[in-house]
């Protein structure tokens, strides 16, 4: 006779575990994150915190201890990942570019035509910048304007890539008639990017209006929200064809942006 009050419980527990093992059922084990996973999580948190800091204060006023604290880590953890402020800023620029291309660029690639792609880019950029990182590129461009600095060069490279992408879409839209003729595609692309950046910065914290108004600002730069200025003589001979193209462009943008088109003013008597 077993006199210990918990002996029966113990033996039952042993029998249950033995039975489970005999059936090949391993006890559930809690998976702990690997060192690589913990390091990646730390790096991601520090990058997002640094992106917010650069967006708000710029490179010169960025305090690494504050970046670490806001991410929930120590300064030592930050220096374990990045040797100095320059390396951190370069990593932030790369991180912002990678996440933007994944979240916004992927959306752009899914669109059926150039106007839809450009408006999707504007909307997606506005949503992406709700993370309070909208000023990163602008702040770094201002910080390194006129300087030959690794961070400044990388920002300019990424910005130029975006401008070229927009210019290609603008040229494609002009070829299919969805975007009216106007200034050189590169000039329009520069204005498109500038208007978009300005809109999302001015409308920070005003979702969902930021997305709609960014799309409308982009459509305006593309010449889709008002009749084009009177064209030069060599274009006037093609006015019937261009008018048809402009009508197609308006219907596309109306469907995507929800604009109300102003009536074409009548000429005087």
């Amino acid at each position: 006779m077993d006199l210990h009050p918990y002996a029966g419980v113990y033996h039952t527990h042993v029998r249950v575990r033995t039975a489970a093992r005999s059936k090949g059922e391993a006890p559930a084990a809690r998976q702990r994150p690997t060192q690589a996973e913990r390091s990646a999580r730390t790096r991601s948190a520090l990058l997002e915190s640094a992106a917010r800091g650069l967006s708000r204060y710029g490179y010169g006023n960025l305090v690494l201890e504050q970046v670490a604290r806001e991410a929930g880590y120590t300064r030592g953890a930050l220096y374990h990942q990045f040797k100095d402020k320059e390396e951190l800023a370069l990593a932030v620029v790369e991180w912002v570019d990678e996440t933007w291309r994944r979240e916004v660029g992927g959306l752009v690639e899914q669109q059926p035509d150039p106007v839809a792609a450009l408006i999707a880019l504007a909307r997606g950029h506005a949503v992406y910048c709700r993370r309070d990182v909208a000023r990163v590129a602008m702040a770094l461009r201002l910080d390194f304007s006129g300087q030959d600095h690794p961070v400044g060069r990388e920002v300019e490279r990424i910005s130029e890539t975006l401008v070229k992408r927009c210019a290609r879409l603008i040229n494609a839209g002009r070829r299919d008639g969805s975007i009216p003729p106007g200034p050189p595609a590169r000039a329009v692309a520069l204005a498109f990017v500038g208007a978009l950046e300005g809109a999302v910065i001015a409308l920070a914290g005003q979702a969902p209006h930021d997305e709609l108004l960014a799309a409308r600002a982009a459509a305006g730069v593309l010449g889709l929200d008002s009749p084009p200025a009177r064209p030069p003589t060599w274009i006037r001979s093609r006015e019937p064809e261009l008018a048809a193209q402009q009508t197609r462009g308006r219907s596309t943008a109306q469907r995507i942006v929800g604009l109300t088109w102003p009536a074409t003013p009548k000429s005087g008597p």
Side-chain angles (χ1 to χ4, degrees), residues 35-136:
Q35 177 64 32
E37 290 170 339
R38 290 196 300 272
S39 179
R41 187 163 57 238
T42 301
R43 184 180 180 86
S44 180
L46 289 168
L47 286 173
E48 188 151 5
S49 176
R52 287 194 300 269
L54 288 168
S55 181
R56 294 171 184 169
Y57 313 120
Y59 184 85
N61 295 320
L62 186 70
V63 179
L64 297 188
E65 186 174 357
Q66 184 177 353
V67 168
R69 184 170 59 251
E70 290 188 358
Y73 294 93
T74 64
R75 186 171 57 179
L78 187 148
Y79 279 111
H80 182 72
Q81 297 278 347
F82 311 100
K83 68 178 183 181
D84 54 24
K85 187 191 289 190
E86 180 181 308
E87 185 174 292
L88 174 61
L90 283 169
V92 166
V93 171
E94 181 182 0
W95 174 79
V96 169
D97 183 46
E98 286 178 355
T99 56
W100 190 95
R101 283 189 284 109
R102 183 173 60 249
E103 298 176 21
V104 183
L107 181 65
V108 172
E109 295 295 335
Q110 298 170 16
Q111 303 308 310
D113 57 70
V115 169
L118 287 161
I119 299 302
L121 190 154
R123 286 184 175 275
H125 184 71
V127 172
Y128 177 81
C129 288
R130 290 173 187 169
R131 299 181 183 181
D132 193 23
V133 298
R135 294 181 178 85
V136 168

Side-chain angles (χ1 to χ4, degrees), residues 34-268:
T34 64
Q35 177 64 32
E37 290 170 339
R38 290 196 300 272
S39 179
R41 187 163 57 238
T42 301
R43 184 180 180 86
S44 180
L46 289 168
L47 286 173
E48 188 151 5
S49 176
R52 287 194 300 269
L54 288 168
S55 181
R56 294 171 184 169
Y57 313 120
Y59 184 85
N61 295 320
L62 186 70
V63 179
L64 297 188
E65 186 174 357
Q66 184 177 353
V67 168
R69 184 170 59 251
E70 290 188 358
Y73 294 93
T74 64
R75 186 171 57 179
L78 187 148
Y79 279 111
H80 182 72
Q81 297 278 347
F82 311 100
K83 68 178 183 181
D84 54 24
K85 187 191 289 190
E86 180 181 308
E87 185 174 292
L88 174 61
L90 283 169
V92 166
V93 171
E94 181 182 0
W95 174 79
V96 169
D97 183 46
E98 286 178 355
T99 56
W100 190 95
R101 283 189 284 109
R102 183 173 60 249
E103 298 176 21
V104 183
L107 181 65
V108 172
E109 295 295 335
Q110 298 170 16
Q111 303 308 310
D113 57 70
V115 169
L118 287 161
I119 299 302
L121 190 154
R123 286 184 175 275
H125 184 71
V127 172
Y128 177 81
C129 288
R130 290 173 187 169
R131 299 181 183 181
D132 193 23
V133 298
R135 294 181 178 85
V136 168
M138 184 175 292
L140 291 176
R141 276 201 299 270
L142 290 173
D143 280 333
F144 298 108
S145 177
Q147 302 179 45
D148 185 19
H149 190 279
V151 176
R153 288 198 300 270
E154 184 63 11
V155 170
E156 288 303 322
R157 184 192 67 78
I158 292 170
S159 296
E160 181 63 18
T161 300
L162 177 59
V163 169
K164 288 180 177 178
R165 182 178 195 172
C166 292
R168 286 195 299 269
L169 289 169
I170 291 164
N171 278 325
R174 286 176 173 174
R175 285 194 297 271
D176 69 19
S178 59
I179 297 176
R186 177 174 172 80
V188 177
L190 287 167
F192 179 94
V193 173
L196 185 54
E197 286 185 345
V200 298
I201 289 171
L203 294 167
Q206 298 192 47
H209 309 302
D210 53 351
E211 182 184 353
L212 174 62
L213 293 173
R216 289 186 175 180
V221 170
L222 296 173
L224 300 176
D225 63 344
S226 61
R230 188 164 179 78
T233 304
W234 72 271
I235 292 181
R236 283 205 288 270
S237 62
R238 298 178 57 211
E239 279 186 342
E241 177 189 350
L242 295 174
Q245 291 177 351
Q246 185 181 351
T247 299
R248 289 198 298 274
R250 286 181 176 184
S251 61
T252 301
Q254 275 184 301
R255 184 179 71 253
I256 300 167
V257 188
L259 294 172
T260 301
W261 298 102
T264 304
K266 296 181 179 179
S267 57

